[in-house]
Amino acid sequence: MESFNQLLSEISSLLWGWPMIILLLGTHVFLTIRLRFPQRHILKAIRLSIIPDKGSKGDVSQFGALATALAATIGTGNIVGVATAVALGGPGAVLWCWLTGLLGISTKYAEGLLAVKYRIKTHDGRMLGGPMYALERGLGWKTMAVLFALFTAIAAFGIGNTVQANAIATLTNETYGVPTWATGLFVTFLTGAVVLGGIKSIARVCTMLVPFMAFFYVVGCMVILIMNGQYVWPSIKLICESAFNPQAAGGGLAGGTILLAARYGIARGLFSNESGMGSAPIIASAAQTRNPVRQALVSSSGTFWDTVVICALTGVVIVSSVLAYPDISFDNGATLTKVAFSKIPYIGSPLLTFGLLTFAFSTILGWELYGERAVEYLDNLMAGKKAQDNRRVKSHTLYRTLYIVAIFAGSIMNLTVVWNMADCMNALMAIPNLLSLLFLSGVIVSETRKYLWNNRLDDDMESAV
């Protein structure tokens, strides 16, 4: 097992090395330029996300789809991941993370557009879509579509399930002494009660949970920034200066070079907002929207909230706290955020604990839906039309059962192997999805011109078939 884990670790490092970062970041830049900087429409995107598109076809509201995508995206990586990036790449990593999120808005926009453009409507009225449908229907690449769906179904058990359950169980055990098995049982029961209700149940819970958990975390960050008031502007200057001159942060940093600051900052931004990974389009395809561009704009706002706002806030909180308190060092790694929040009297640590717990639980819910839709795509390929309904019910039930059981297993297991396998699956998801974005960029531009550039956002698209 140790040898197998070492092999997975090496494969993961290879998959998530500079070639992948260049491919992801290059796609961000390419789409940003070709789509004429869709970031300038972010306020319009936010407005559309909170206004129901009444009368449009879909399974959930646009906000419900966005909330579910954010539930799967906003996780412990926004808290612990940013701290790790700062420890390894220095304060400048925060700027690179922020810039990656800003550019990633274009990629998330493109993913959402293709998800609605190529979605299908089942005979029972449900909307199905995502990169596997874009690959198959847009490019005719059925093999790549099958591989994407397979990697998604497997990845859901890793980054979306067991590792999140383990994080929750470990945190409650270390903080409050609750046995990991007890936490595992509770989270298993809670997840089962939600996911057995299907997409509408998951979207309903995420719609309530995501704004709530994000609000309290942001409030905590703002309190810390107020406490560190005189260090906020110096921390922003330090972040900007050390992004291009790491020595500005002083000696002793692991970062040391511009390349390391960029590497860890870019990687953290890419992993955090999942722009280009292909997961969020799966739920975007189910949104009630009258045309692809409306949902594309709504989807793009998810990257804005995840990275441009939450990751940036976390980064400034960490750097300002290091400047304000001599007992905090950049070398503290994953504990940086925890130490920063502990400076809030009485409620700081519980507030961070609540944030980590809710972020991890919401990720479990969102990824269950991704995995289930991937399994349904694979199942439909193997079944005739008459048998699809029976197979769908059986496959959904089986997948949900395995997913729920895996939560308990994850809460009590050592997950080093699972982490490495999940990293590999996530990278393998991203490759076919990024190829679909690049090869279908002409379609993305055409749809954008039709609805956005020609001011026809209120027009209806052709019916999904």
Side-chain angles (χ1 to χ4, degrees):
M1 180 60 69
E2 185 176 344
S3 299
F4 179 63
N5 183 49
Q6 180 62 31
L7 175 63
L8 285 177
S9 179
E10 291 175 0
I11 294 174
S12 175
S13 298
L14 178 65
L15 289 172
W16 284 112
W18 275 109
M20 174 61 78
I21 291 177
I22 291 171
L23 176 61
L24 275 164
L25 193 60
T27 302
H28 290 352
V29 173
F30 172 75
L31 291 173
T32 294
I33 295 172
R34 188 152 195 209
L35 294 171
R36 302 179 186 175
F37 295 85
Q39 292 87 344
R40 58 197 173 95
H41 300 291
I42 194 64
L43 293 179
K44 182 181 295 183
I46 294 171
R47 179 178 60 82
L48 288 174
S49 71
I50 59 177
I51 299 176
D53 202 352
K54 296 180 179 179
S56 299
K57 296 178 180 180
D59 302 331
V60 296
S61 68
Q62 287 182 310
F63 183 74
L66 174 63
T68 305
L70 281 173
T73 304
I74 299 177
T76 54
N78 295 78
I79 300 175
V80 177
V82 174
T84 303
V86 171
L88 295 173
V94 177
L95 180 63
W96 289 107
C97 177
W98 185 83
L99 289 173
T100 302
L102 191 65
L103 291 170
I105 289 174
S106 301
T107 302
K108 190 62 72 74
Y109 169 92
E111 290 178 319
L113 190 153
L114 293 181
V116 177
K117 171 70 176 177
Y118 292 109
R119 70 183 180 180
I120 65 171
K121 184 178 181 181
T122 63
H123 68 86
D124 58 354
R126 296 177 304 114
M127 294 292 186
L128 302 178
M132 51 277 202
Y133 294 91
L135 286 162
E136 180 186 347
R137 302 184 71 215
L139 293 169
W141 296 356
K142 183 173 285 189
T143 300
M144 293 288 277
V146 169
L147 289 174
F148 175 86
L150 181 63
F151 295 144
T152 301
I154 297 173
F157 280 93
I159 194 65
N161 182 324
T162 51
V163 296
Q164 303 296 333
N166 189 267
I168 294 174
T170 301
L171 181 65
T172 54
N173 177 260
E174 293 178 351
T175 306
Y176 304 107
V178 180
T180 54
W181 64 265
T183 302
L185 280 178
F186 177 74
V187 177
T188 299
F189 174 80
L190 202 60
T191 303
V194 177
V195 303
L196 291 178
I199 183 174
K200 292 185 178 180
S201 175
I202 293 174
R204 190 182 310 114
V205 172
C206 291
T207 299
M208 295 185 294
L209 183 61
V210 168
F212 183 68
M213 70 183 193
F215 173 77
F216 276 96
Y217 180 71
V218 169
V219 167
C221 288
M222 296 306 296
V223 170
I224 294 175
L225 293 180
I226 292 173
M227 293 171 58
N228 299 345
Q230 61 179 312
Y231 298 98
V232 171
W233 180 244
S235 69
I236 293 174
K237 288 179 62 179
L238 180 61
I239 288 170
C240 295
E241 291 172 0
S242 57
F244 304 99
N245 177 24
Q247 298 306 316
L253 290 178
T257 68
I258 295 175
L259 285 179
L260 281 179
R263 175 187 173 185
Y264 289 109
I266 291 171
R268 182 65 267 150
L270 294 173
F271 302 160
S272 173
N273 59 56
E274 295 183 11
S275 294
M277 190 177 294
S279 51
I282 296 175
I283 181 61
S285 66
Q288 296 167 347
T289 185
R290 67 188 71 182
N291 61 62
V293 172
R294 288 177 73 95
Q295 182 55 37
L297 287 168
V298 172
S299 295
S300 71
S301 68
T303 299
F304 172 80
W305 293 120
D306 175 85
T307 308
V308 179
V309 175
I310 294 181
C311 283
L313 270 177
T314 302
V316 177
V317 161
I318 290 170
V319 177
S320 65
S321 295
V322 171
L323 296 181
Y325 303 101
D327 59 321
I328 304 179
S329 167
F330 285 123
D331 297 326
N332 286 356
T335 64
L336 274 171
T337 312
K338 183 178 180 179
V339 175
F341 267 78
S342 69
K343 300 300 181 181
I344 303 178
Y346 307 112
I347 65 169
S349 294
L351 187 63
L352 181 62
T353 300
F354 174 79
L356 286 168
L357 293 177
T358 52
F359 283 9
F361 178 66
S362 68
T363 300
I364 291 174
L365 296 180
W367 270 92
E368 193 283 331
L369 179 60
Y370 296 160
E372 189 174 300
R373 287 296 171 93
V375 168
E376 182 169 357
Y377 174 80
L378 296 172
D379 208 32
N380 287 342
L381 290 179
M382 296 185 291
K385 291 185 177 180
K386 293 182 178 179
Q388 281 183 6
D389 277 350
N390 289 333
R391 287 181 64 95
R392 179 173 64 83
V393 172
K394 292 179 181 178
S395 63
H396 279 202
T397 302
L398 177 61
Y399 190 84
R400 290 172 183 174
T401 302
L402 291 174
Y403 194 88
I404 292 169
V405 171
I407 293 171
F408 179 75
S411 66
I412 59 176
M413 289 170 53
N414 184 312
L415 296 180
T416 305
V417 173
V418 178
W419 262 113
N420 287 326
M421 183 174 293
D423 284 343
C424 293
M425 292 300 105
N426 288 342
L428 293 173
M429 284 174 60
I431 293 171
N433 178 60
L434 290 169
L435 290 175
S436 73
L437 294 174
L438 293 173
F439 280 90
L440 290 172
S441 60
V443 175
I444 298 168
V445 171
S446 176
E447 294 291 310
T448 301
R449 179 181 295 110
K450 178 179 178 180
Y451 294 107
L452 182 59
W453 298 343
N454 291 335
N455 296 315
R456 296 173 58 190
L457 278 176
D458 292 332
D459 287 6
D460 294 327
M461 68 177 289
E462 295 81 4
S463 298
V465 294

